[in-house]
Amino acid sequence: QVWRLITPILLHGSLIHIGFNMYALYVIGPGLERYYNSRRFLLLYLIGGFAGNVFSFLFSTSASLGASTAIFALIAAQGIFILKNRFLFGKNATSMLINVGVIVLINLALGLSPGIDNWGHMGGLVGGLIFAWFAGPIYKIQPQAGGYELRDQNPAARLWLTTAVELVLFAALASLRFLMQ
């Protein structure tokens, strides 16, 4: 039942649960997608959700449910994006990185409550960090007539290689758990 490593990001336990996840996606998603582009953003979201569900499968005895694994990947990717593209944010970059860190810590602390799968959150963070570090956009300013343009310097081939490596890595981790049972 391999599909159980991805389908939990589409399911939620209550209206409040889906409401919180929708709000987080609404707040984080559009800005990040603008810089990542739709294809890269979708891959980040799916890889993060997959990584989170694998961590949940490996380290938790209860079932994982909800998109927060993927949302934690987006938060991690936002932090890496700010870090690698500090020039875009000027002196605000440091406070933005601190805000990302505080959001992660607060949500991990809230995740200590009963019924919340923090292993899934941590897996989403790890999946998002890896993806963003290797496949996230790295911008450079290109002067042109009448102004400038931001150009992503990260080659598309790295996106596909990172996606493949992460899928293999997390699938191998899940397979080890199957073999150990």
Side-chain angles (χ1 to χ4, degrees), residues 36-150:
Y36 262 68
N37 78 39
S38 297
R39 177 180 50 194
R40 187 184 288 164
F41 182 84
L42 178 62
L43 287 171
L44 165 65
Y45 188 86
L46 293 173
I47 291 287
F50 178 65
N53 289 325
V54 168
F55 262 54
S56 178
F57 175 64
L58 291 174
F59 303 115
S60 177
T61 55
S62 56
S64 182
L65 195 64
S68 55
T69 55
I71 290 168
F72 268 82
L74 299 182
I75 294 168
Q78 186 173 30
I80 297 297
F81 178 78
I82 294 166
L83 181 69
K84 287 191 157 197
N85 295 281
R86 287 185 294 277
F87 75 94
L88 291 174
F89 307 103
K91 61 184 177 185
N92 295 325
T94 302
S95 62
M96 292 170 77
L97 286 168
I98 290 169
N99 283 341
V100 170
V102 168
I103 288 168
V104 168
L105 290 175
I106 288 171
N107 279 285
L108 287 176
L110 290 172
L112 296 173
S113 303
I116 297 178
D117 181 13
N118 243 0
W119 285 111
H121 295 166
M122 288 185 267
L125 276 173
V126 170
L129 283 170
I130 293 169
F131 186 91
W133 189 263
F134 293 105
I138 302 170
Y139 283 104
K140 185 176 180 181
I141 296 175
Q142 298 287 326
Q144 66 182 53
Y148 66 91
E149 178 181 69
L150 289 176

